[in-house]
Amino acid sequence: PTPLPPPHIEKSDRKPEQMKRKASATDGEGKRGAKTGMASSFSSFADAEGRWKADAAVKLNNGVEMPIFGLGMSHNGGGDYVKGIQCSLANGVRHFDTAARYKTERILGETLKPYLENKKVKRSDLFITTKLWPGDAEDVKGAFQSSSEALDLGVDLYLLHWPGVGGKERRKEVWREMELLLENGKVRAIGVSNFIERHLVELEETASVVPAVNQIEANPFQYRK
């Protein structure tokens, strides 16, 4: 098949002063009052012949590189997760996205572990994303610990799965608890999922760290206008 061209990234028509963010002197290590912008510094997505590169990555606002291509471990209607992970690894994919809500953290960790033990894959080459479900947000630390134990291989990116945690002020409180995970070295980056612009603007009012990622679903059957 004809290789797809690299994605077209449209430039914003907003004035530079509207797009400014206060950059953290420590590149997002979580110190209170320091702010960084959203993801930046896109690497090349394709090689000289126009073929997509499995190791193409984007640099997040704290300098951490996140692979663009990954396997989503969502509800799959009975498909074979293990074969999906194995096939992804064989084709160079190193980013795996799961969530407590999906109940796939444990099977992801168990499938990846033999590759790590046999040194077929290095942990430093993997990028693991998982998410905090709003129903578990009463105990962010405990929810993260449960996800960590299920995965048993560390978490690179931790996302708040959905904004519905009990209103604006509660979202800020939950986000602060996620910032503490970052400050304490439990994760390499934190972000959100399914947020709209209003949620992000509200979060910035008190956030020490601007979300590195806002993960949203986009496909022909579900998209935002």
Side-chain angles (χ1 to χ4, degrees), residues 81-210:
Y81 288 110
V82 174
K83 287 184 179 178
I85 296 167
Q86 293 171 338
C87 182
S88 297
L89 288 169
N91 283 279
V93 173
R94 296 294 182 266
H95 184 173
F96 295 89
D97 180 285
T98 181
R101 176 70 170 178
Y102 304 154
K103 302 187 185 302
T104 55
E105 293 168 322
R106 191 171 303 280
I107 194 169
L108 174 60
E110 290 175 349
T111 305
L112 290 175
K113 184 157 289 188
Y115 287 85
L116 295 169
E117 291 174 346
N118 296 331
K119 298 183 179 180
K120 294 181 179 179
V121 175
K122 294 188 296 184
R123 176 60 183 90
S124 58
D125 291 335
L126 294 174
F127 193 92
I128 307 299
T129 298
T130 192
K131 309 176 191 72
L132 168 70
W133 185 245
D136 300 326
E138 288 300 317
D139 182 8
V140 175
K141 185 176 179 181
F144 176 78
Q145 183 64 29
S146 294
S147 290
S148 296
E149 291 175 358
L151 284 162
D152 195 25
L153 44 72
V155 177
D156 295 289
L157 175 63
Y158 197 47
L159 305 179
L160 176 54
H161 204 150
W162 197 263
V165 293
K168 173 182 174 180
E169 296 307 317
R170 182 57 189 149
R171 269 193 299 276
K172 292 179 180 180
E173 293 171 356
V174 170
W175 182 250
R176 179 55 189 153
E177 292 183 62
M178 292 182 66
E179 288 178 336
L180 290 174
L181 294 174
L182 181 66
E183 290 178 17
N184 293 326
K186 301 295 184 181
V187 294
R188 299 174 65 205
I190 53 176
V192 296
S193 183
N194 300 300
F195 273 43
I196 60 176
E197 184 176 358
R198 170 175 60 83
H199 298 136
L200 295 170
V201 170
E202 290 172 353
L203 206 60
E204 268 200 305
E205 294 174 1
T206 56
S208 295
V209 179
V210 173

Side-chain angles (χ1 to χ4, degrees), residues 37-81:
M38 297 293 278
S40 59
S41 303
F42 282 86
S43 64
S44 175
F45 293 98
D47 61 20
E49 298 178 1
R51 293 173 298 193
W52 288 86
K53 298 193 299 183
D55 61 351
V58 62
K59 187 173 289 187
L60 303 181
N61 57 7
N62 64 350
V64 171
E65 289 200 350
M66 179 184 73
I68 289 295
F69 300 107
L71 176 67
M73 299 284 294
S74 183
H75 318 287
N76 70 354
D80 193 326
Y81 288 110

